[in-house]
């Protein structure tokens, strides 16, 4: 494994969740992954994809336990490892530990928040405080992503397939911003910034508009969120979520304020907009969460786009197989 | 930490808490409706009211001391049970209105009857609790069973006489304060003037007169003109214990606003804003959520306020708006787990907090049926557990510890073993004595100071 690609440690922790959509994820996640930009980074990505496929046979129980381990893993010692571009990839596939990039995790948090807001699987009026707090979190992420310029990039690439696939463990987001600042590299995206500067404002909230999509997937959710047999529902789950995000993306892009937009002045509208819940009770039962490792070393932008296309191609092949 | 626990009055030895009694079915028999949703002592501590998710209120009364049965001293026995709220259906919105009792507040006792306010999400009710231990006997026209007498048998007139009977507790709804709230009521607070009270929902606070049900005054309204701009909601509110014109309300952004009703009819503009600036080094996407204040309580003295947010309890001096005077970490080990807690919604749990009678100790609940006490004077804190297994009656509660990696002592619990479904959201402290009521799901634990209970 060529060195200098990225500080990567793939552990048994996050790996099992790679099974779901790990491959599809690579398409969207690729820009962040290949932040390294050079061939070694790309190779690492491929390696991880294969690793993910290998581990796809791991059971749900294992995934559950691993997610719980994740928290501890990320608290300890991740600070130094995660964004360290210098470390070599150690040993065999089994020996490396996955660290999702900050951006990927942020995206995952965003997706999770949107799902929380949309699910209206209730007879009782939803908790307004909770909805407002989630919506504020979504806004924060959106603002930060707009500043980063990552917002455009994500949304030109996604084809509606991605959202669940991109859900990753977001524990890294619990770390203080000071710790993150030490390792965070956003330079990889500067190339994209230039391309998409013009469209930023309009596109910023494609996935944010929930105006009428809440009603549509309502019936889907009742099936989707029966978490009894997550393995079996996995396929349905992905499809349903895809549908939500497709309908979202088809809406005329406004801003996150669409979440609160009113048809008339009654409370009922906010009610519709902000209904949402997630009925997971067990901690660590992060079905939707996945982790993805990525090299996040300083970008060398020159090869970036070509790498991206190649990766897409490779990913497609892997998906077919 | 010494085995003596925090909780004693300053200068005296610390308190040993022991389980006094436990009410409620065993865990496997729990139904959702039995989950206790609020606990409140009355002003003397003689009565303890609990509300549950099924809309019922259970009132416990403390047995008066008697020399004959020393071990039953101060036991809280069920005094009355009644159905306060029923489930309703809002036809306009096609949504159910839960009957869960959100809050109970006692009115100061003004005559032989006791009164309390209970509220669900929409409707507040005033209940009057009276005792009947005598009944009239010797009616002229009716016989003992109430049937009309045959008038020919009545030869003389008698004056009915009051004879003692078995104690009967009657509860009647005296007032129903309905249709005052569009959003969910989260707090009610009786004013020190004993005539008015306020009810707060997510966006508005109303002032009611206890005798008038068809009208209320809106005193705070933070609903934006455009609901799209909504970013902050009201989470709790309370009247000042002595100044009838002052009240405080907390928000989901972690701020407190003290309002003076003399300033204007609509108290949208606060008199004082209590807000601690965010620590930039600790900032994350969850910063706002964990700063949301879930409960605010004035101290008995009226000088301080106690707030609870997700990870800490803070004591604020009314005279200082810039930051709290004391901050206590309740379960800081959860800070690295906020993502998981966000995902399973635990991060939105609303914990309450309480002062002891002398304002020297504060208490709040946590997960795994743990609750925490902080002694403001000695700066000692203790973690105790409310569970059947670890509480033998009259045995002193053993302090618990959560270990976060590193050295692990025997009986420590690791963070990953915590049960997040066992949360102690509702706690109450007797107004004068060291007696606490802890609601753990459907169980009500009453702990007393061992010294206290042995003295009788």
């Amino acid at each position: 494994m060529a060195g200098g690609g990225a500080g990567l440690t793939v552990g048994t922790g996050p790996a099992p969740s790679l099974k779901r959509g790990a491959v599809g994820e690579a398409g969207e996640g690729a820009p962040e992954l290949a932040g390294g930009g050079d061939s070694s980074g790309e190779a690492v990505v491929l390696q991880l994809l294969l690793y993910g496929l290998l581990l796809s046979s791991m059971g749900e129980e294992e995934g559950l336990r691993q997610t719980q381990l994740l928290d501890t893993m990320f608290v300890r010692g991740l600070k130094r490892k995660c964004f360290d571009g210098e470390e070599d990839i150690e040993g065999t596939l089994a020996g490396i530990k996955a660290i999702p990039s900050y951006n990927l995790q942020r995206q995952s948090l965003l997706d999770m928040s949107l799902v929380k807001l949309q699910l209206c699987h209730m007879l009782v009026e939803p908790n307004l405080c909770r909805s407002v707090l989630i919506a504020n979190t979504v806004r924060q992420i959106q603002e930060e992503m707009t500043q980063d310029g990552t917002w455009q990039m994500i949304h030109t690439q996604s084809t509606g397939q991605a959202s669940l696939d991109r859900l990753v463990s977001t524990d890294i987001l619990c770390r203080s911003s000071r710790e993150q600042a030490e390792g965070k590299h956003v330079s990889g995206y500067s190339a994209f910034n230039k391309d998409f500067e013009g469209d930023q404002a309009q596109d910023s909230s494609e996935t944010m508009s929930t105006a009428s999509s809440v009603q549509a997937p309502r019936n889907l959710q009742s099936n989707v969120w029966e978490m009894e047999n997550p393995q079996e529902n996995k396929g349905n789950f992905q499809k349903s979520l895809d549908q939500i995000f497709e309908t979202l993306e088809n809406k005329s892009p406004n801003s996150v304020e669409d979440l609160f937009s009113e048809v008339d002045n009654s409370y009922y509208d906010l009610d519709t907009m902000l209904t949402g819940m997630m009925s997971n009770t067990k901690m660590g039962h992060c079905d939707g969460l996945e982790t993805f490792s990525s090299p996040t070393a300083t970008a060398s932008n020159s090869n970036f786009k070509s790498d991206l296309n190649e990766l897409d191609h490779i990913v497609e092949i892997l998906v077919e197989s | 930490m010494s085995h003596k626990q925090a909780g004693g009055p300053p200068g005296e030895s610390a308190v040993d808490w022991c389980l006094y009694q436990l009410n409620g079915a065993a865990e496997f028999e729990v139904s959702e409706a039995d989950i206790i949703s609020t606990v409140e002592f009355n002003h003397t501590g003689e009565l303890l009211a609990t509300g549950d998710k099924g809309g019922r209120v259970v009132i416990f009364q403390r047995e008066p001391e008697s020399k004959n049965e020393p071990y039953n001293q101060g036991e809280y026995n069920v005094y009355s049970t009644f159905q306060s709220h029923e489930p309703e259906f809002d036809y306009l919105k096609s949504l159910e209105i839960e009957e869960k009792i959100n809050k109970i507040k006692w009115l100061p006792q003004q005559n032989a009857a006791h009164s309390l306010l209970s509220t669900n999400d929409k409707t507040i009710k005033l209940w009057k609790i009276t005792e009947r231990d005598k009944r009239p006997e010797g009616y002229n026209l009716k016989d003992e069973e109430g049937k009309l007498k045959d008038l020919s048998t009545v030869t003389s007139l008698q004056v009915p006489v009051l004879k003692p009977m078995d104690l009967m507790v009657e509860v009647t709804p005296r007032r129903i304060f309905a249709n005052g709230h569009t959003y969910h009521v989260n707090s009610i607070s009786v004013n020190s003037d004993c005539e008015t009270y306020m009810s707060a929902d997510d966006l508005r606070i109303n002032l009611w007169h206890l005798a008038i049900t068809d009208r209320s005054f809106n005193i705070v309204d933070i609903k934006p003109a455009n609901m799209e701009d909504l970013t902050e909601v009201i989470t709790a509110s309370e009247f000042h214990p002595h100044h009838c014109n002052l009240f405080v309300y907390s928000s989901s952004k972690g701020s407190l606003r003290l309002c003076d009703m003399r300033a204007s009819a609509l108290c949208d503009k606060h008199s004082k804003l209590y807000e601690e600036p965010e620590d930039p080094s600790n900032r994350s996407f969850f910063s706002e959520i964990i700063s949301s204040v879930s409960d605010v309580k004035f101290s008995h003295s009226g000088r301080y306020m106690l707030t609870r947010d997700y990870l800490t309890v803070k004591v604020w001096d009314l005279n200082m708006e810039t930051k709290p005077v004391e901050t206590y970490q309740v379960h800081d080990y959860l800070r690295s787990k906020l993502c998981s807690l966000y995902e399973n919604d635990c991060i939105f749990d609303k914990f309450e907090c309480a002062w002891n009678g002398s304002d020297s100790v504060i208490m709040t609940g946590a997960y795994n049926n743990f609750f925490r006490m902080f002694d403001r004077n000695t700066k000692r804190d203790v973690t105790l557990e409310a569970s059947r297994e670890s509480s033998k009656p009259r045995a002193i509660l053993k302090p618990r510890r959560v270990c976060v990696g590193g050295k692990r002592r025997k009986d420590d619990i690791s963070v990953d073993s915590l049960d997040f479904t066992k949360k102690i959201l509702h706690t109450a402290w007797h107004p004068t004595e060291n007696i606490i009521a802890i609601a753990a799901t459907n169980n009500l634990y009453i702990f007393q100071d061992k010294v206290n209970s042995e003295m009788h």
Side-chain angles (χ1 to χ4, degrees):
Chain A
M1 194 78 236
L8 274 185
T9 39
V10 174
T12 51
S17 34
L18 278 171
K19 67 190 175 204
R20 252 185 257 118
V23 181
E25 186 175 349
E28 291 71 32
E32 292 133 1
L33 300 177
D38 53 10
S39 56
S40 63
E42 183 191 343
V44 164
V45 167
L46 277 177
Q47 202 166 15
L48 290 165
L49 287 175
L50 292 169
Y51 179 51
L53 288 170
L54 274 174
L55 289 170
S56 61
S57 55
M58 271 200 180
E60 185 56 39
E61 286 297 325
E62 180 68 15
L64 194 69
R65 193 175 70 81
Q66 300 305 345
T67 318
Q68 287 170 339
L69 288 175
L70 209 57
D71 284 307
T72 42
M73 207 174 81
F74 280 120
V75 168
R76 277 188 260 121
L78 190 58
K79 178 175 162 177
R80 186 180 67 83
K81 284 184 197 166
C82 185
F83 295 105
D84 184 348
E86 306 310 309
E87 280 180 10
D88 281 37
I89 314 303
E90 301 171 83
T92 63
L93 283 173
I96 43 180
K97 289 181 181 170
I99 305 166
S101 76
Y102 172 84
N103 290 309
L104 210 54
Q105 294 197 344
R106 181 178 61 184
Q107 182 66 43
S108 167
L109 181 63
L110 176 64
D111 295 336
M112 194 198 326
S113 304
L114 289 174
V115 168
K116 275 178 180 294
L117 281 177
Q118 286 171 44
L119 294 177
C120 41
H121 183 54
M122 294 184 165
L123 294 172
V124 188
E125 287 179 277
N127 187 335
L128 184 63
C129 181
R130 177 181 171 277
S131 304
V132 167
L133 289 172
I134 297 172
N136 288 351
T137 309
V138 165
R139 266 203 204 95
Q140 264 185 64
I141 299 174
Q142 185 211 356
E143 273 167 25
E144 197 181 286
M145 288 177 88
T146 310
Q147 280 170 20
D148 282 352
T150 53
W151 187 259
Q152 307 320 311
M153 180 178 59
I154 300 291
H155 287 84
T156 51
Q157 304 230 348
S158 65
T159 53
Q161 182 204 351
S163 44
L164 175 62
D165 301 347
R166 287 204 302 263
L167 289 182
V168 298
S169 163
T170 51
D171 298 291
I172 199 173
L173 296 170
C174 303
R175 293 161 48 204
S176 72
S177 58
R178 180 173 19 99
E179 291 171 350
Q180 286 167 353
E182 288 169 10
K184 185 172 159 189
H185 292 275
V186 280
S187 43
Y189 303 106
S190 53
F192 286 84
N193 282 350
K194 290 176 197 130
D195 296 332
F196 298 104
E197 245 159 38
D199 314 321
Q200 265 191 23
Q202 288 111 11
D203 288 338
S204 62
S205 295
E206 275 188 343
T207 50
M208 297 300 189
S209 62
T210 58
S212 48
S213 62
V214 170
Q215 298 301 333
R218 183 176 193 138
N219 296 325
L220 295 171
Q221 297 319 305
S222 46
N223 302 328
V224 162
W225 289 105
E226 303 312 316
M227 288 296 199
E228 312 300 324
N229 290 309
Q231 296 276 18
E232 292 163 33
N233 287 344
K234 208 185 356 164
N236 300 332
F237 184 56
Q238 266 184 3
K239 262 187 264 168
S240 309
L241 215 62
D242 292 347
Q243 278 169 315
I244 298 173
F245 284 91
E246 251 173 30
T247 56
L248 286 180
E249 282 157 20
N250 289 336
K251 295 297 161 209
S252 56
N254 282 317
S255 64
V256 72
E257 280 75 28
D258 271 2
L259 281 168
F260 299 96
S261 66
E262 293 179 305
V263 176
D264 64 56
N265 285 330
S266 76
Y267 164 63
Y268 188 47
D269 301 293
L270 178 63
D271 197 17
T272 342
M273 297 313 126
L274 291 186
T275 51
M277 53 84 79
M278 202 150 145
S279 49
N280 293 329
T281 50
K282 213 166 149 197
M283 174 161 163
H285 186 60
C286 307
D287 263 64
L289 290 187
E290 299 183 9
T291 56
F292 203 96
S293 53
S294 63
T296 54
T298 314
S300 71
N301 300 322
S302 46
N303 302 328
F304 198 98
K305 281 185 185 171
S306 55
D307 288 348
L308 196 58
N309 293 332
E310 270 185 55
L311 261 177
D312 276 344
H313 181 59
I314 292 158
V315 159
E316 265 180 60
I317 298 170
L318 288 169
V319 172
E320 312 286 344
S321 65
Chain B
M1 187 191 316
S2 88
H3 74 280
K4 284 285 186 183
Q5 302 154 19
E12 298 183 24
S13 63
V15 174
D16 288 323
W17 293 98
C18 59
L19 175 63
Y20 210 67
Q21 62 190 93
L22 166 56
N23 293 71
E27 268 181 33
F28 49 85
E29 296 163 32
V30 180
S31 77
E32 178 101 358
D34 294 331
I35 296 174
I36 298 172
S37 51
T38 187
V39 187
E40 189 82 6
F41 280 99
N42 78 336
H43 296 275
T44 59
E46 182 208 353
L47 298 175
L48 174 65
T50 63
D52 65 23
K53 268 194 159 185
R56 283 170 310 220
V57 171
V58 180
I59 302 177
F60 297 85
Q61 185 188 43
R62 194 175 186 198
E63 286 305 316
E65 302 167 17
S66 107
K67 295 195 177 70
N68 297 336
E69 290 181 39
Y71 293 113
N72 280 343
Q73 291 328 307
E75 206 173 84
Y76 281 86
N77 296 323
V78 176
Y79 180 65
S80 172
T81 304
F82 60 95
Q83 186 76 32
S84 169
H85 287 72
E86 299 275 1
E88 287 170 45
F89 194 78
D90 182 337
Y91 294 97
L92 199 60
K93 301 177 197 171
S94 293
L95 291 168
E96 284 180 7
I97 298 172
E98 281 189 321
E99 67 275 27
K100 172 170 76 99
I101 307 295
N102 292 336
K103 281 285 177 333
I104 290 174
K105 284 283 148 73
W106 290 92
L107 269 53
Q109 192 177 8
Q110 286 169 335
N111 49 38
H114 297 276
S115 301
L116 61 79
L117 288 169
S118 68
T119 185
N120 68 347
D121 283 339
K122 298 286 184 182
T123 306
I124 305 123
K125 294 187 184 179
L126 174 66
W127 295 90
K128 186 164 159 191
I129 301 128
T130 48
E131 287 183 5
R132 189 191 291 273
D133 62 355
K134 296 182 186 49
R135 66 161 195 214
E137 280 177 15
Y139 282 105
N140 291 295
L141 299 177
K142 290 188 286 187
D143 65 16
E144 293 311 309
E145 280 126 41
K147 286 195 302 199
L148 287 173
K149 280 182 188 170
D150 180 359
L151 286 178
S152 56
T153 64
V154 178
T155 52
S156 63
L157 288 177
Q158 56 181 345
V159 177
V161 173
L162 288 175
K163 296 256 171 78
M165 60 178 254
D166 290 338
L167 180 65
M168 209 165 73
V169 179
E170 294 174 339
V171 183
T172 47
R174 295 305 299 239
R175 307 264 189 275
I176 296 181
F177 304 92
N179 303 316
H181 290 280
T182 311
Y183 304 97
H184 291 178
V185 175
N186 53 54
S187 326
I188 47 176
S189 177
V190 183
N191 203 345
S192 50
D193 65 9
C194 303
E195 282 188 2
T196 57
Y197 77 95
M198 70 162 158
S199 56
D201 65 31
D202 295 315
L203 298 178
R204 298 191 177 101
I205 302 181
N206 292 336
L207 181 71
W208 304 80
H209 191 285
L210 284 165
I212 300 169
T213 59
D214 61 355
R215 207 177 337 162
S216 75
F217 294 96
N218 178 241
I219 53 177
V220 173
D221 188 341
I222 65 168
K223 183 180 176 189
N226 213 346
M227 277 300 259
E228 298 171 5
D229 302 330
L230 180 65
T231 56
E232 194 173 8
V233 300
I234 297 170
T235 51
S237 72
E238 200 185 39
F239 267 119
H240 191 279
H242 310 310
H243 303 298
C244 58
N245 55 297
L246 290 179
F247 67 93
V248 69
Y249 70 91
S250 61
S251 81
S252 56
K253 287 199 169 172
S255 64
L256 296 172
R257 285 174 173 80
L258 186 73
C259 299
D260 189 332
M261 293 197 291
R262 297 172 301 187
S264 66
L266 189 60
C267 299
D268 276 0
K269 272 180 70 175
H270 53 264
S271 296
K272 280 182 183 287
L273 172 64
Y274 301 83
E275 212 170 18
E276 186 173 24
E278 199 176 15
D279 178 6
S281 63
N282 257 338
R283 177 148 179 69
S284 74
F285 284 119
F286 304 107
S287 295
E288 185 183 314
I289 300 178
I290 63 170
S291 73
S292 172
V293 174
S294 53
D295 193 19
V296 63
K297 292 264 167 55
F298 277 103
S299 65
H300 292 90
S301 63
R303 165 89 188 263
Y304 299 99
M305 294 182 294
L306 180 66
T307 59
R308 173 69 153 101
D309 51 61
Y310 193 62
L311 298 178
T312 68
V313 279
K314 294 177 177 165
V315 177
W316 300 78
D317 186 326
L318 249 62
N319 301 316
M320 188 157 82
E321 300 166 76
T322 50
K323 60 185 170 91
V325 289
E326 294 157 32
T327 301
Y328 301 95
Q329 300 295 330
V330 179
H331 38 202
D332 201 53
Y333 45 78
L334 296 183
R335 198 176 285 273
S336 57
K337 303 204 173 291
L338 293 177
C339 309
S340 308
L341 295 166
Y342 178 74
E343 199 243 353
N344 64 15
D345 269 9
C346 281
I347 207 174
F348 301 108
D349 286 336
K350 292 190 187 313
F351 292 94
E352 291 171 11
C353 52
W355 296 90
N356 74 338
S358 58
D359 296 338
S360 60
V361 183
I362 54 189
M363 165 172 73
T364 188
Y367 292 107
N368 209 73
N369 280 349
F370 287 169
F371 57 100
R372 303 263 284 139
M373 288 186 187
F374 303 90
D375 189 319
R376 297 177 62 213
N377 300 313
T378 64
K379 299 302 179 197
R380 287 208 292 235
D381 63 86
V382 70
T383 305
L384 300 171
E385 183 178 0
S387 75
R388 288 168 187 270
E389 296 78 32
S390 61
S391 318
K392 305 291 174 227
R394 310 302 192 266
I396 297 176
L397 280 185
K398 203 178 51 164
R400 305 306 308 265
R401 228 176 74 108
V402 178
C403 71
V404 204
K407 286 182 292 186
R408 194 196 150 129
R409 292 185 218 160
K410 181 189 159 227
D411 290 342
D412 277 5
I413 294 201
S414 86
V415 186
D416 299 308
S417 322
L418 293 175
D419 188 343
F420 288 84
T421 61
K422 292 189 178 157
K423 40 194 110 179
I424 296 195
L425 304 172
H426 312 289
T427 59
W429 204 311
H430 188 286
T432 51
E433 295 181 39
N434 276 335
I435 304 173
I436 53 177
I438 309 282
T441 325
N442 65 315
N443 290 312
L444 179 70
Y445 290 81
I446 297 176
F447 296 99
Q448 285 201 24
D449 178 2
K450 189 148 183 92
V451 171
N452 204 22
S453 53
E454 277 172 358
M455 258 166 54
H456 301 299

